[in-house]
Amino acid sequence: MAGIVVVFDFDRTLIDGDSDSWVVTEMGLTQLFNEIRSTLPWNSLMDRMTEELHLQGKTSEDIKECLKRIPMHPGVTAAIKSAHASGCDLRIVSDANRFFIEAILECHGLLGCFSQIVTNPTSVEQDGRLRIFPHCDLGSSFHGCNLCPPNLCKGVVIDQIRASVSANGRKRFVYLGDGRNDYCPSLRLVEGDHVMPRKDYALWKRICSNPVLIKADIHEWSDGEELGKTLLHLIHRISSEENQM
């Protein structure tokens, strides 16, 4: 199934909740977070949270231990492993951050299933402090998309992925997401592709408001079990269609 590229959002898609919110809540940062939330861009806000943890004597390893406790639905885990084993090209495009995503995937034995993770970069300083940075330099490289936050246009990333894999023949894309910033990449999908919006979340509502704008086939899902079953069904369906051509 080398002709299938599956692109996942992360928060509220691969995991049921939000990794940033999990760390803020579980590591006792809620009060500070609420006090300064309106004063900083999101990536700067989360970087300030990790600075606070460092000032409290907590290291990146402490944050990783916290992230390991985030649950992932077994249906999602099984679907990722099955899709990877069948030869699908699995990627993540997320407005979370690399450290959080990789820590969670590694904990569940899934990190090696993904060929690419496009997200906000991170680094761990010599003193153990975790730093979080925006994917795009907010001062000099704004992507110009009014559908996406200034730090990351997922639509641009989808176009880049399609261009990078097209040399090896036509690829069929499956895109899974939940949020407002998943609408732009959904618009970039073409006939023969598939989009899987999470039911009753922002992406689903936006698509439902004018579905004719979406060229891809639309398949809603509500929870991890339904995500896994729907994704594996789609992979089987696409594979069967490709074999008949």
Side-chain angles (χ1 to χ4, degrees):
M1 299 182 191
I4 303 175
V5 179
V6 185
V7 182
F8 299 86
D9 173 42
F10 190 75
D11 291 325
R12 300 189 181 89
T13 300
L14 278 181
I15 61 173
D16 189 55
D18 180 272
S19 56
D20 288 344
S21 297
W22 177 275
V23 168
V24 167
T25 301
E26 294 294 313
M27 301 196 76
L29 298 171
T30 301
Q31 181 176 344
L32 175 63
F33 179 87
N34 289 336
E35 288 174 355
I36 65 174
R37 181 174 183 175
S38 63
T39 66
L40 293 170
W42 188 268
N43 303 120
S44 300
L45 177 62
M46 289 308 300
D47 187 59
R48 174 66 183 87
M49 295 298 101
T50 60
E51 178 187 32
E52 180 62 26
L53 291 174
H54 178 68
L55 293 173
Q56 294 177 10
K58 297 182 175 67
T59 69
S60 60
E61 288 302 312
D62 296 318
I63 298 173
K64 183 178 290 187
E65 289 302 313
C66 174
L67 290 164
K68 288 180 179 179
R69 300 195 298 270
I70 294 182
M72 181 177 286
H73 194 285
V76 174
T77 304
I80 292 170
K81 291 180 177 179
S82 178
H84 174 68
S86 68
C88 294
D89 181 358
L90 308 184
R91 304 181 185 228
I92 291 172
V93 181
S94 168
D95 202 11
N97 67 75
R98 182 167 296 278
F99 185 92
F100 286 14
I101 292 173
E102 290 187 349
I104 295 166
L105 293 179
E106 185 177 32
C107 174
H108 293 278
L110 299 174
L111 184 56
C113 294
F114 295 90
S115 65
Q116 183 184 24
I117 300 173
V118 179
T119 187
N120 297 298
T122 55
S123 67
V124 178
E125 298 184 339
Q126 288 186 347
D127 59 4
R129 185 202 161 183
L130 174 65
R131 298 297 311 273
I132 300 173
F133 306 96
H135 180 265
C136 293
D137 182 350
L138 303 183
S140 61
S141 60
F142 177 56
H143 48 69
C145 175
N146 59 12
L147 294 174
C148 295
N151 63 295
L152 175 62
C153 175
K154 292 186 176 184
V156 168
V157 177
I158 289 295
D159 288 346
Q160 291 171 342
I161 294 173
R162 193 184 296 277
S164 71
V165 301
S166 60
N168 298 320
R170 179 173 181 256
K171 306 294 183 183
R172 304 278 293 277
F173 276 65
V174 181
Y175 185 88
L176 300 88
D178 73 287
R180 290 187 298 273
N181 63 348
D182 294 308
Y183 185 63
C184 179
S186 299
L187 291 173
R188 309 292 180 107
L189 301 175
V190 300
E191 186 175 350
D193 292 338
H194 301 266
V195 60
M196 290 178 53
R198 188 170 188 178
K199 187 176 181 181
D200 294 328
Y201 282 69
L203 174 61
W204 179 85
K205 293 176 181 178
R206 187 70 181 268
I207 289 175
C208 288
S209 70
N210 198 353
V212 297
L213 296 179
I214 303 296
K215 299 181 180 69
D217 290 346
I218 302 166
H219 313 268
E220 64 185 34
W221 57 279
S222 297
D223 55 28
E225 181 177 2
E226 193 171 10
L227 181 155
K229 289 179 178 179
T230 303
L231 176 60
L232 293 181
H233 173 76
L234 276 179
I235 291 171
H236 177 74
R237 171 180 157 185
I238 295 170
S239 180
S240 297
E241 291 172 354
E242 293 295 310
N243 290 335
Q244 293 172 6
M245 294 178 66

